């Protein structure tokens, strides 16, 4: 059974930073591209970033603009998202998912950006 467990969300002030983690199990993590998606209150799922299986190729949504960094540690079956220069509009529940399959997600981790 595929399990994805996100963590690291918190309440931070605008301009602050967070590092999100996603612990994966139940599948061969190193064979899959992985993505971060987010959902703001009252809105649909929004793609944030994707990394290929080996970690050498990354893609970001336009709104990221160099503020976020996706990475992975295949030895630890863990996906990361470093969030810097956070804005109030980044407030959302953040989820990790297999690339192209957002239907299987964990419980998410809440990021709230507020002064």
């Amino acid at each position: 059974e595929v399990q994805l467990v996100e963590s690291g969300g918190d309440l931070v002030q605008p301009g602050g930073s967070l590092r999100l983690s996603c612990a994966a199990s139940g599948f061969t993590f190193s064979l899959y591209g992985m993505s971060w998606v987010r959902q703001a209150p009252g809105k649909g799922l929004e793609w944030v970033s994707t990394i290929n299986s080996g970690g050498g190729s990354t893609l970001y949504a336009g709104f990221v603009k160099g503020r976020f960094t996706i990475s992975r540690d295949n030895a630890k079956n863990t996906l990361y998202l470093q969030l810097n220069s956070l804005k109030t509009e980044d407030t959302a529940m953040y989820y990790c998912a297999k690339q192209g399959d957002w239907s299987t997600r964990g419980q998410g981790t809440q990021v709230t950006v507020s002064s």
Side-chain angles (χ1 to χ4, degrees):
E1 177 188 3
V2 173
Q3 287 198 327
L4 299 166
V5 180
E6 301 91 343
S7 62
D10 205 345
L11 169 64
V12 296
Q13 293 186 342
S17 297
L18 286 172
R19 190 193 195 199
L20 307 184
S21 298
C22 169
S25 62
F27 65 104
T28 306
F29 180 74
S30 61
L31 296 182
Y32 289 86
M34 296 293 295
S35 296
W36 285 97
V37 298
R38 70 184 187 182
Q39 187 167 26
K43 297 188 176 181
L45 283 173
E46 178 179 44
W47 173 69
V48 177
S49 182
T50 295
I51 188 168
N52 72 337
S53 58
S57 179
T58 57
L59 293 169
Y60 297 94
F63 62 80
V64 170
K65 295 182 180 178
R67 300 181 299 124
F68 300 172
T69 303
I70 191 172
S71 62
R72 66 191 297 161
D73 185 337
N74 285 344
K76 295 182 178 180
N77 289 348
T78 303
L79 178 72
Y80 302 100
L81 186 67
Q82 177 69 39
L83 309 173
N84 296 327
S85 302
L86 283 162
K87 305 176 181 180
T88 55
E89 53 263 43
D90 294 317
T91 294
M93 187 73 77
Y94 284 71
Y95 302 91
C96 64
K98 288 182 180 179
Q99 181 180 1
D101 179 14
W102 297 358
S103 63
T104 301
R105 307 185 299 277
Q107 81 291 345
T109 188
Q110 178 67 42
V111 172
T112 303
V113 186
S114 175
S115 56

